Structure formats: structure tokens, C-alpha cells
Amino acid sequence: MRHLSFFLSNLTYLLNFLFPSLIKIPSKSLPVQIKTMVSLRSRSGRHLQRYEEGYRLVVGCIPYRYKKSQEPSSDEELEVLVISAQNGQGMLFPKGGWENDESMEEAAKRETEEEAGVIGVVGDKLGPWHYQSKRSCIMHESYMFPLLVQEELPCWPERKIRERRWVTINEAREVCHNRWMREALEELVRLRRPHPQAQS
């Protein structure tokens, strides 16, 4: 029994020691078991949060896909993934604090995997937008990235507290309750809209 206790305490120490390194390894190069274990933990606390000129810096993604192909012919072929707000009021896009030990893109992808359970390729950043937190007087400066979804994970850290749903652009305009997120959506739509082909 004493040997088992010794083993478990050392195993816990080893996992705590290795975890910061594991989360920086690209998920494709990890075995499925380790990838699942790493993806089940989300960051908490704000001791690493970035602030600039009094603004808390927030980043996130607008996960999207095309219904038929990678070359859309209209807005109707574009779908975006929305998630439920923690307070249950409305839907939104995944976002969260940008922390000191990561790039803006890394933070946006991390928040998207934690909150929505999707992985993909990020495009050029959208923003900034400024808004005040509804729960406090803190001002935020926010940036969003388009994220072309390549994989939907069956397990992700916030799967028990958030619903995720693919919706059309028009549905997203209706259900997304943050004005600045709707503006980010319009920017994504504008950038993803196919350009008219030159007349020959």
C-alpha cells in the first residue's frame, strides 16, 4: 500500500511537471491518449493576462466552414460555429484573455479549442473592437480570427457547460448577442465573399 501511495504521488508530480511542455506540442504529433488528456484541461485565472493602456486584451475566433466546397459561390454556403454563453443568455463566438506566454494566434486557437472544441487554420486578424465588460467596469480591446475548421473534437474542456451549433450567417446575426461580434462576423463575410470575376 505504501508503494502504491509513493507511485501515485510521484505520478502526479511527473504529470504536473510535464503538462506545460505537452500543451506546446502540436496536437497532431501527440498520441491520441495524450492529446485527449491535454485537451481536457483549460486555463483558469488571470495572473498572466495582457493589458495595454488600461484595456484587457481579448482574442478569439469565428470558426467557419463551407457547406459544399472550399470555394463558396454565395454567403449561403458559409456556416459559422457559435457556442452558448456561460450565463445561458444568447450565443457567441469563442474568445478569452490573451496571456503573456503565447502569441495572439496561439491564444485565439487555445480559447477556441477550450470553449468550442474545434481545431483549424487561422486567417488574418480582424479588429480591434472596444467594449466594456457587463460584469465589471473593465474595458476590453478585442481581436478575432477567422478559423477554417478542420476537426471537431468529441471531448473538449468546456463541453459540459457550453452548447456548440453550426448556423448560417443570417442565423448568427440573430442569435449572437454581442454587437462587436456581429461586426466581426460582417467583416469575415466581406473577406470571404467571392470577388466577381473579371469580364472577358
Side-chain angles (χ1 to χ4, degrees), residues 16-195:
N16 286 332
F17 175 77
L18 290 176
F19 188 80
S21 301
L22 289 174
I23 62 173
K24 294 180 181 179
I25 299 174
S27 60
K28 289 184 179 178
S29 62
L30 289 172
V32 174
Q33 295 88 344
I34 295 178
K35 179 179 172 182
T36 302
M37 179 183 72
V38 171
S39 68
L40 290 179
R41 179 174 169 182
S42 61
R43 290 190 174 197
S44 59
R46 294 189 175 177
H47 62 285
L48 293 176
Q49 295 287 284
R50 290 180 188 250
Y51 288 82
E52 189 171 290
E53 297 181 3
Y55 287 90
R56 178 178 177 239
L57 301 183
V58 170
V59 296
C61 290
I62 303 178
Y64 72 96
R65 69 183 182 188
Y66 298 112
K67 292 181 186 178
K68 297 179 182 177
S69 71
Q70 298 302 308
E71 298 295 331
S73 59
S74 69
D75 292 351
E76 285 72 34
E77 291 187 18
L78 185 66
E79 291 182 313
V80 292
L81 185 70
V82 291
I83 58 172
S84 56
Q86 281 187 313
N87 61 12
Q89 298 179 3
M91 307 293 280
L92 42 78
F93 299 115
K95 53 93 178 138
W98 175 16
E99 300 188 354
N100 291 325
D101 62 343
E102 57 192 351
S103 70
M104 186 181 284
E105 291 86 351
E106 287 171 341
K109 292 197 316 189
R110 173 181 54 77
E111 288 291 344
T112 302
E113 185 173 348
E114 289 176 0
E115 294 187 356
V118 291
I119 298 171
V121 178
V122 295
D124 295 332
K125 71 180 177 184
L126 311 174
W129 286 271
H130 296 94
Y131 68 97
Q132 183 173 337
S133 171
K134 293 180 180 178
R135 292 180 293 181
S136 67
C137 60
I138 297 175
M139 293 298 296
H140 296 75
E141 180 173 292
S142 300
Y143 296 86
M144 298 296 280
F145 291 85
L147 182 130
L148 179 58
V149 173
Q150 296 179 318
E151 183 179 2
E152 291 184 54
L153 303 174
C155 295
W156 69 99
E158 299 191 15
R159 69 193 183 284
K160 293 183 179 178
I161 60 173
R162 294 189 191 273
E163 172 195 354
R164 65 181 179 188
R165 188 188 343 154
W166 285 103
V167 297
T168 65
I169 298 301
N170 283 334
E171 288 172 328
R173 289 172 177 138
E174 292 177 9
V175 300
C176 187
H177 68 291
N178 289 330
R179 179 187 56 80
W180 71 271
M181 284 192 177
R182 292 195 300 270
E183 291 177 4
L185 174 65
E186 296 305 327
E187 186 68 9
L188 178 141
V189 170
R190 185 184 68 78
L191 292 173
R192 293 291 172 269
R193 187 171 288 141
H195 298 290

Side-chain angles (χ1 to χ4, degrees), residues 1-11:
M1 191 69 173
R2 197 167 62 187
H3 293 296
L4 178 61
S5 176
F6 176 77
F7 172 77
L8 291 176
S9 64
N10 282 309
L11 178 62

